[in-house]
Amino acid sequence: MKIFYVLVLVGIIVSSACTRDSNSNTKDHLPSTETMMSWISDIEAQGYRRPGWPADEWTEKWAVDMFKALGLEDITLDPIDVTRWEEREWSLTVWPKGHPDKVITLASWPIPLSKPVKELTAELVLSPSPEDVQAGTIAVVEYPLMEMPQAHIRDDVATWSYDPEGEFNTLSQVLPMGERFQKIMDPEAEAGAAAYLGILNFPWQTDKYYVPYDSKPRDIPGLYLSRNEGRRLLDMMEDGPVMARLSVDAGLTRTVNNNVYATLPGRSDEWLVIGSHHDGPWNSAVEDASGVAMVMAQAQYWSRVPAKERPHNMLFLLTGGHMSGGAGLHDFAEKHKDFLSNDVVAEIHLEHIALAAKVVDGQLVPTDKPEVRWWFTSYIPRLERIVGRAICREDLTRSLMMPSTGWPRPDAKRPPTDASVFFFTTPVVSLLAAPMYLFDPADRMNMVDEKSLLPVSRAVIDIVQELGSETAKSLRAGQYTPPRSERLSSGCDDLNSMPN
């Protein structure tokens, strides 16, 4: 353990010394890009980082050790209850009805939280909608991801945007969710299906999709198929009735994870919270080893700044159980509701420093472009201006300032981010990228937007520094109820004239 601390401290010292060599505009004391990438790599290398799995427990310990090495105070491991899901064995065989001698095996993968079954045999029925489900049969459903033209998001959803190259005019983003979000197989189960087969009509070939992750066990078994395997099945079904036999052995237990947090004193009695989550569905470099590294970069930076130069007290938060219905987020928000409501100036949440990907020969390949950056920001003009100015200073292209309510559905009372429930109690800036591969094992080190690590870190420092002139009361006093009477102009020219 002593060797670990020495190595961590040496790395911190070296990264601080080398920072300006890596980028002349880098603020003092930030870790270098290389250091942040090494943190992400170390976390990613531990394996699947699901709640209750060894890799996530390792990450919690790593965070505690890092906080200690940085000299943070009040380091806390706060236990939370989570659902641990683990796939073990599964199989899917199909054959034309009446011809069991023509059986074939299809590659598949268990749907998370679906019901284990030793063996189930039933007829397959193509079910484009729940109304097509026949009780007692296996529903076959083609399931695509949503795709959204960014011109629509910019013009009809976002409150502000920064896109100096005009890419949003033609860019269409494939999101990592379908229209049902977490309720992928629920309508078929409610309609009486005995089981569910979901054909993943994604742009790339995959049968591994870690959704749902809301911690709610389902009432029927389910398997995912890739587009190619799904095509084999549909071709067989076009020739006549088809029978299927499936089995799923998966473990579903309750266990304990931890929220990990630590503090630094500042010059005011109020607080800023900087957070992310530490678990993920796979090795998950983007989701969310990159977020952990971003929080740790802020912890390093502000630990090297004298307390009198920190605008407020600071709390660095890494929640657990994101892949268990956001358990850590909800637990922290409930336990610290009064603190968040009265003492916190703002919460800054950092998720997914991601490259956009393209598909080549059915496989995901990273591009050299950042995935569209969503900055979900509370409805406070002063805060919107602070965030916009930071984005412009660091030239964080492909940025959209997103609303905290009313999206992706008009009745949404909170945004689709890990910071969602914080919006009810405190001003929030929640950075999120949503690449299409977010819940796929393809989320590895090559998907991390390495070039953005330092610029985003510097932008967050700018936001923190500008919030130094605010109090919890003063910032909340400017909150408005949407829609605003006048939309903000896109780009950077009018930021200084934004009303307070």
Side-chain angles (χ1 to χ4, degrees), residues 143-147 175-179 181-182 209 211 213 439:
Y143 195 75
L145 296 174
M146 290 187 289
E147 185 170 354
L175 303 181
M177 284 286 188
E179 290 185 354
F181 294 90
Q182 302 278 352
Y209 180 53
V211 178
Y213 54 89
F439 305 116

Side-chain angles (χ1 to χ4, degrees), residues 45-176:
Q46 302 308 310
Y48 294 176
R49 209 169 53 260
R50 299 172 190 168
W53 286 49
D56 195 40
E57 294 171 353
W58 181 95
T59 304
E60 292 176 352
K61 184 178 181 300
W62 177 90
V64 168
D65 291 340
M66 286 292 295
F67 285 155
K68 288 179 179 177
L70 292 169
L72 272 62
E73 303 176 8
D74 304 319
I75 300 170
T76 301
L77 280 169
D78 190 11
I80 55 171
D81 293 329
V82 297
T83 297
R84 185 189 194 277
W85 182 81
E86 179 182 7
E87 68 276 42
R88 294 170 180 154
E89 295 184 33
W90 60 94
S91 65
L92 173 63
T93 55
V94 298
W95 61 93
K97 190 174 183 178
H99 297 278
D101 56 316
K102 296 182 179 180
V103 65
I104 64 171
T105 298
L106 294 175
S108 60
W109 189 71
I111 297 177
L113 302 172
S114 61
K115 184 178 181 179
V117 62
K118 186 173 182 180
E119 185 176 286
L120 186 151
T121 302
E123 185 173 344
L124 301 178
V125 174
L126 186 62
S127 303
S129 72
E131 289 74 25
D132 299 303
V133 172
Q134 297 180 22
T137 66
I138 299 174
V140 178
V141 179
E142 297 182 77
Y143 195 75
L145 296 174
M146 290 187 289
E147 185 170 354
M148 292 190 176
Q150 292 307 291
H152 159 66
I153 303 299
R154 176 196 63 199
D155 298 338
D156 301 323
V157 178
T159 55
W160 178 83
S161 65
Y162 179 61
D163 178 35
E165 298 177 12
E167 294 181 274
F168 290 163
N169 291 327
T170 56
L171 181 64
S172 189
Q173 181 184 2
V174 178
L175 303 181

Side-chain angles (χ1 to χ4, degrees), residues 114-288:
S114 61
K115 184 178 181 179
V117 62
K118 186 173 182 180
E119 185 176 286
L120 186 151
T121 302
E123 185 173 344
L124 301 178
V125 174
L126 186 62
S127 303
S129 72
E131 289 74 25
D132 299 303
V133 172
Q134 297 180 22
T137 66
I138 299 174
V140 178
V141 179
E142 297 182 77
Y143 195 75
L145 296 174
M146 290 187 289
E147 185 170 354
M148 292 190 176
Q150 292 307 291
H152 159 66
I153 303 299
R154 176 196 63 199
D155 298 338
D156 301 323
V157 178
T159 55
W160 178 83
S161 65
Y162 179 61
D163 178 35
E165 298 177 12
E167 294 181 274
F168 290 163
N169 291 327
T170 56
L171 181 64
S172 189
Q173 181 184 2
V174 178
L175 303 181
M177 284 286 188
E179 290 185 354
R180 292 185 179 181
F181 294 90
Q182 302 278 352
K183 298 180 179 180
I184 291 177
M185 59 190 295
D186 297 10
E188 285 71 27
E190 292 170 2
Y196 175 99
L197 296 183
I199 299 171
L200 298 180
N201 278 344
F202 293 2
W204 70 104
Q205 293 292 336
T206 187
D207 57 18
K208 294 177 177 60
Y209 180 53
Y210 203 92
V211 178
Y213 54 89
D214 55 11
S215 83
K216 300 174 183 177
R218 269 38 183 197
D219 294 330
I220 62 173
L223 294 168
Y224 285 134
L225 284 73
S226 69
R227 192 173 66 246
N228 281 353
E229 289 295 83
R231 187 69 262 164
R232 291 177 65 195
L233 177 60
L234 294 175
D235 287 346
M236 180 182 288
M237 293 176 69
E238 286 180 359
D239 293 334
V242 175
M243 300 295 293
R245 179 178 296 114
L246 61 88
S247 65
V248 177
D249 179 16
L252 187 65
T253 57
R254 294 296 287 176
T255 188
V256 174
N257 267 172
N258 293 279
N259 288 338
V260 186
Y261 55 90
T263 67
L264 285 171
R267 65 173 181 252
S268 89
D269 293 331
E270 295 187 322
W271 291 81
L272 292 170
V273 177
I274 299 178
S276 191
H277 63 88
H278 57 69
D279 60 311
W282 310 96
N283 295 63
S284 299
V286 168
E287 165 75 306
D288 205 357

Side-chain angles (χ1 to χ4, degrees), residues 288-433:
D288 205 357
S290 66
V292 173
M294 296 299 289
V295 172
M296 204 59 68
Q298 293 298 312
Q300 174 172 319
Y301 177 85
W302 293 106
S303 72
R304 298 295 181 260
V305 171
K308 64 182 180 181
E309 295 180 18
R310 300 176 196 135
H312 302 285
N313 298 323
M314 306 190 75
L315 188 149
F316 302 93
L317 172 66
L318 296 171
T319 61
H322 178 73
M323 306 308 299
S324 179
L329 167 70
H330 290 278
D331 186 85
F332 187 89
E334 182 61 31
K335 286 180 179 176
H336 304 281
K337 185 175 181 180
D338 289 343
F339 167 72
L340 291 164
S341 299
N342 300 305
D343 301 324
V344 174
V345 177
E347 199 272 343
I348 302 170
H349 220 74
L350 307 171
E351 294 182 87
H352 314 158
I353 308 301
L355 288 171
K358 60 183 178 181
V359 178
V360 178
D361 297 328
Q363 302 299 313
L364 287 161
V365 178
T367 69
D368 60 354
K369 294 279 191 177
E371 187 53 274
V372 175
R373 312 177 220 255
W374 293 340
W375 300 78
F376 291 91
T377 304
S378 295
Y379 297 122
I380 301 172
R382 168 66 174 155
L383 187 59
E384 292 171 337
R385 182 170 68 183
I386 288 172
V387 173
R389 285 162 60 106
I391 291 169
C392 289
R393 287 192 196 102
E394 296 300 332
D395 194 28
L396 296 176
T397 60
R398 292 188 167 197
S399 282
L400 290 160
M401 192 177 297
M402 297 290 283
S404 57
T405 60
W407 191 84
R409 290 174 176 163
D411 61 349
K413 293 180 173 59
R414 61 190 190 190
T417 83
D418 186 49
S420 59
V421 299
F422 289 146
F423 282 87
F424 296 126
T425 55
T426 190
V428 179
V429 178
S430 181
L431 169 62
L432 174 82

